[in-house]
Amino acid sequence: MNTRKEWSVSCRDIAGRRRDLTVFVSGGRVVLVSPPGETAVLTPLDVGRLRAALRDAVVDASAIHDQ
């Protein structure tokens, strides 16, 4: 069973296709996975969502690191 938390942030690639950025914690570090071979283009609202996902991941990473 996979209990790892993941956050997904919608974005578009440079060609305008819908994509997702994924944020998760691994070994007490925050991992950001971008669309493969693509550039992520974010709206201001998407940037806010990415910021929130990164903040949540840092909280989780800190909890893992402190154990």
Side-chain angles (χ1 to χ4, degrees):
M1 177 165 74
N2 186 2
T3 59
R4 178 176 77 185
K5 286 185 184 179
E6 289 187 2
W7 298 266
S8 183
V9 178
S10 296
C11 63
R12 295 200 180 262
D13 64 15
I14 200 71
R17 297 174 294 220
R18 294 185 74 64
R19 299 285 189 240
D20 288 306
L21 292 170
T22 303
V23 178
F24 65 92
V25 175
S26 177
R29 296 182 181 211
V30 177
V31 180
L32 177 63
V33 180
S34 64
E38 299 288 350
T39 300
V41 180
L42 300 157
T43 67
L45 181 59
D46 294 335
V47 170
R49 290 181 178 135
L50 176 59
R51 180 177 177 256
L54 289 170
R55 182 191 62 236
D56 291 346
V58 166
V59 169
D60 280 8
S62 296
I64 291 169
H65 190 270
D66 292 340
Q67 290 180 354

